[in-house]
Amino acid sequence: MAAWTWRFEKADGAEVQPAVVPEEFTTQGDAESWIGEYFKELREGGADQVRLFEDGTQIYGPMSLHAEEAQPAEEPGDSPEEPQDSAE
C-alpha cells in the first residue's frame, strides 16, 4: 500500500518540524485534504512550504503555505489583447 507523506520546509528549503504532526496517508487525496485543513497552523508554526511524497518519491513541491502570496497561473487568453492597427 502506498504511503503519502509531507515534508515541511522554510522558504530556503531547510526542513522544519511541523507545528501539527501529520499521519501517514494512504491516498493523495487524504494528504491534500489534511494540508488544506492545517496549512494555517503549519505556517504559523514556522513552515513556509511543503513537498508531497509517495513512498519516498517526490510528487510535487515546493508548494507555498502563504496563500495570500501565491499568484494564480495565467491562463492562455487572460492577458489583455494588444491593440492592432487595422490596414484599410
Side-chain angles (χ1 to χ4, degrees), residues 1-84:
M1 179 181 278
W4 297 82
T5 57
W6 290 105
R7 174 184 159 102
F8 304 90
E9 302 176 343
K10 297 300 284 177
D12 66 3
E15 188 170 10
V16 297
Q17 290 301 310
V20 180
V21 179
E23 57 191 84
E24 216 173 65
F25 304 98
T26 56
T27 69
Q28 183 175 355
D30 288 346
E32 290 170 339
S33 292
W34 183 88
I35 206 77
E37 187 173 334
Y38 291 104
F39 82 94
K40 289 180 185 176
E41 291 92 335
L42 295 164
R43 183 182 63 211
E44 290 167 0
D48 294 311
Q49 61 190 28
V50 294
R51 296 175 192 265
L52 181 63
F53 291 83
E54 178 186 15
D55 294 331
T57 301
Q58 183 173 316
I59 302 303
Y60 63 76
M63 179 177 72
S64 176
L65 295 177
H66 298 275
E68 65 277 2
E69 296 171 12
Q71 297 296 316
E74 191 171 296
E75 295 290 327
D78 281 354
S79 59
E81 298 272 336
E82 292 289 321
Q84 304 219 351

